[in-house]
Amino acid sequence: MSGWLVVAGLGPGADGMITPEVSEVLAQATDIVGYIPYVKRVPEREGLVLHATDNRQELDRATHALEMAAAGRNVVVVSSGDPGVFAMASALFEALEAGLEQWREVDIRVLPGVSAMLAASAAAGAPLGHDFCCINLSDNLKPWSLIERRLQLAAEADFAMAFYNPRSKSRPEGFAKALSILHEACGPDRIIIFARAVSTDEQQVRVTTLAEAEPEMADMRTLVIVGSSLTKVIDRPAGPLVYTPRSVV
Ligand code: SAH
């Protein structure tokens, strides 16, 4: 049996942002495993088995993928964006570490993708052009107190910041709290970008300041970027361009 297992990133949405090596591996797979909307993005074909599951079942999904590859199938686990950024690659390695010894014989590879923060940054200009950090604002897998501490320290270090999973229906208050911490730490004039559904037909990029920002400007399809103290806006008829200079001197 020589199955293999690839964890692949499908990028932020546009087909043109799927890398050629990911397209190639999707064409060779016997089985695709992933969260329902991501599996839907894989072209169907004769003989390809699609295993679409709910978002919360990451470890079950990873275990299933390992079992199939160990049994000789060619399996691709799909994530949006990059699979190593708040996504399936770490879940897979957790399952591998806790799982059967023989799974360590499986040929496993991770193929990168265009992460939402890179697509969002490009859509707005170059707000991540100098040092930056990225933080997942969901407290499903970590305590809210840790998120608050990281926001404070990132603001203190004057990083630009990219925020994933800013606000969901089940956690409406967290993002409002995050905005008020940032407003307090960075001041009202700091630039904030709400980049929604980047690279899809519904793309919307809004550039504003912390004073004007409202929690409702973000949802689960939004990547939020807060600039550093040096981040600037160039106004143009075609819309603003945001950038952070590469030098602080
Ligand atoms: N692995 C993914 C991130 C998964 S977490 C990646 O590398 O991009 C899911 C979060 O990513 C969403 O809540 C949102 O904050 C962000 N996101 C994913 N696709 C996006 C898109 N097309 N536009 C804006 N944000 C997106």
Side-chain angles (χ1 to χ4, degrees), residues 116-132:
M117 70 176 172
L118 302 182
S121 166
L128 306 179
H130 188 69
D131 296 346
F132 68 92

Side-chain angles (χ1 to χ4, degrees), residues 96-166:
L96 178 66
E97 204 175 16
L100 301 179
E101 196 60 35
Q102 75 222 45
W103 289 353
R104 298 188 186 207
E105 310 282 326
V106 174
D107 173 10
I108 301 177
R109 278 183 306 147
V110 181
L111 300 186
V114 177
S115 191
M117 70 176 172
L118 302 182
S121 166
L128 306 179
H130 188 69
D131 296 346
F132 68 92
C133 66
C134 78
I135 300 177
N136 185 343
L137 290 183
S138 164
D139 60 355
N140 286 344
L141 300 172
K142 63 189 168 191
W144 178 258
S145 57
L146 182 62
I147 297 175
E148 287 197 359
R149 183 166 150 73
R150 289 187 174 155
L151 289 172
Q152 296 280 7
L153 292 171
E156 191 184 317
D158 199 20
F159 283 120
M161 305 167 220
F163 298 118
Y164 287 78
N165 296 308

Side-chain angles (χ1 to χ4, degrees), residues 44-225:
E44 292 196 41
R45 65 180 149 80
E46 184 90 17
L48 180 68
V49 188
L50 303 178
H51 309 265
T53 52
D54 189 78
N55 201 18
R56 288 176 294 270
Q57 302 160 355
E58 291 191 340
L59 271 183
D60 292 350
R61 190 189 293 154
T63 303
H64 183 213
L66 282 160
E67 283 165 355
M68 287 194 290
R73 310 283 298 175
N74 297 335
V75 184
V76 180
V77 178
V78 289
S79 280
S80 77
D82 180 272
V85 178
F86 311 130
M88 278 305 294
S90 291
L92 185 87
F93 294 137
E94 272 178 52
L96 178 66
E97 204 175 16
L100 301 179
E101 196 60 35
Q102 75 222 45
W103 289 353
R104 298 188 186 207
E105 310 282 326
V106 174
D107 173 10
I108 301 177
R109 278 183 306 147
V110 181
L111 300 186
V114 177
S115 191
M117 70 176 172
L118 302 182
S121 166
L128 306 179
H130 188 69
D131 296 346
F132 68 92
C133 66
C134 78
I135 300 177
N136 185 343
L137 290 183
S138 164
D139 60 355
N140 286 344
L141 300 172
K142 63 189 168 191
W144 178 258
S145 57
L146 182 62
I147 297 175
E148 287 197 359
R149 183 166 150 73
R150 289 187 174 155
L151 289 172
Q152 296 280 7
L153 292 171
E156 191 184 317
D158 199 20
F159 283 120
M161 305 167 220
F163 298 118
Y164 287 78
N165 296 308
R167 187 164 171 270
S168 76
K169 289 196 188 83
S170 59
R171 318 174 268 108
E173 328 78 31
F175 186 59
K177 276 197 257 173
L179 279 182
S180 86
I181 290 168
L182 292 165
H183 189 277
E184 174 80 12
C186 305
D189 300 329
R190 185 62 61 89
I191 291 157
I192 181 168
I193 301 161
F194 294 90
R196 184 171 192 278
V198 174
S199 90
T200 76
D201 294 342
E202 293 146 81
Q203 172 171 316
Q204 202 192 357
V205 179
R206 188 189 317 217
V207 177
T208 184
T209 59
L210 284 176
E212 303 288 325
E214 300 286 347
E216 296 71 31
M217 292 176 181
D219 64 8
M220 283 304 275
R221 295 188 72 195
T222 309
L223 190 290
V224 178
I225 295 176

Side-chain angles (χ1 to χ4, degrees), residues 4-21:
W4 47 254
L5 177 49
V6 167
V7 198
L10 298 178
D15 285 347
M17 289 201 202
I18 301 178
T19 68
E21 68 171 358

